[in-house]
Amino acid sequence: MREIPGRRRRLLSRRDHGKSDLLSAALTFATAWRWPVLPGIGLETAGRRDGVRCACPDPECTVPGAHPFDPGLLAATTDARMVRWWWTKRPDAPIVLATGASSGPAGGRAPCAVSLPAVAGARALAVLDRTGIRLGPVLATPERLMILVAPYTMEQLGELLYAKDFVPGSLRFHGEGGYITLPPSTTGAGPVRWERAPLPGSAEPWVPDVEAVVDAVVDALTRTGVSAPEL
């Protein structure tokens, strides 16, 4: 069958669009916002009848596609040349943010995150809005919602949670040494998107202190009846 060049170019453009979006987003995070990033392991789909699985060797991986592998988390960087090299070699790799990591010689640090189930997360956002608490960017997957917060230490977090009578087990904290995936990545949990996006073309987004959001988040999760802390 004779190829129609114009049609082929349009199809290739659609196919590559998401990959170019990943590189563009990774460069924005790293160079404009000074957030240290690195590529995630991604998903393995070829030849599988049971859907997708993590491309790492662990068949029971609990965060398929959404974690670093090679390079490891300590390789996260804000260097544009390194980011371009990574996503040129692996243009469909998820974008992983090293939460709480140093942003470089200037002494800044990447944001951390508070994560909770999607339904309770929507309730928590409503509570935060009603109380007038200012939020920064909020991420979402089909299953969970992640509120970005300012960097904190484990000592700060421990004191904050110790003061609570009850901390639900489905509440998760991504602090120094942790990671989350950023839009427009796709992982085993589904696409990662902005629930509340930063302003287009903005400098590094403002994020609230963790103390400012924990009360509303704990209250929202407590109403679901889930149990014990999980850090």
Side-chain angles (χ1 to χ4, degrees):
M1 182 177 69
R2 186 167 62 91
E3 180 180 352
I4 304 174
R7 172 177 164 77
R8 183 171 183 271
R9 280 194 295 269
R10 287 195 298 273
L11 290 174
L12 287 173
S13 176
R14 292 172 189 168
R15 186 185 309 159
D16 294 340
H17 181 66
K19 297 179 180 180
S20 63
D21 284 351
L22 283 164
L23 172 57
S24 176
L27 285 170
T28 295
F29 299 141
T31 62
W33 298 357
R34 308 301 296 168
W35 290 1
V37 299
L38 75 163
I41 183 66
L43 299 170
E44 180 182 280
T45 58
R48 296 188 61 86
R49 296 181 180 179
D50 58 347
V52 298
R53 67 175 291 274
C54 190
C56 76
D58 182 3
E60 305 299 326
C61 181
T62 57
V63 284
H67 64 90
F69 184 68
D70 183 18
L73 185 63
L74 291 178
T77 184
T78 58
D79 183 76
R81 292 173 298 176
M82 195 73 243
V83 169
R84 285 187 182 278
W85 188 80
W86 278 333
W87 270 273
T88 297
K89 290 178 65 69
R90 296 183 51 215
D92 57 348
I95 304 169
V96 173
L97 168 69
T99 52
S102 170
S103 298
R109 292 171 61 197
C112 296
V114 178
S115 169
L116 60 164
V119 173
R123 186 183 303 124
L125 290 184
V127 171
L128 289 162
D129 287 342
R130 285 198 301 271
T131 55
I133 295 175
R134 179 187 175 194
L135 291 179
V138 179
L139 312 175
T141 69
E143 297 177 351
R144 297 190 70 83
L145 184 144
M146 288 155 281
I147 301 173
L148 296 188
V149 297
Y152 55 78
T153 66
M154 289 305 296
E155 290 76 16
Q156 289 174 314
L157 181 62
E159 291 177 3
L160 180 62
L161 298 184
Y162 183 76
K164 302 294 178 188
D165 293 330
F166 176 76
V167 181
S170 57
L171 183 62
R172 300 172 189 168
F173 296 91
H174 305 266
E176 185 176 0
Y179 57 86
I180 58 173
T181 48
L182 297 172
S185 305
T186 297
T187 72
V192 184
R193 62 178 178 82
W194 294 113
E195 177 69 22
R196 297 193 178 180
L199 294 175
S202 63
E204 180 180 1
W206 177 89
V207 290
D209 291 335
V210 65
E211 294 87 349
V213 301
V214 163
D215 285 344
V217 166
V218 168
D219 178 65
L221 282 174
T222 301
R223 296 181 189 180
T224 68
V226 290
S227 59
E230 181 181 301
L231 304 181

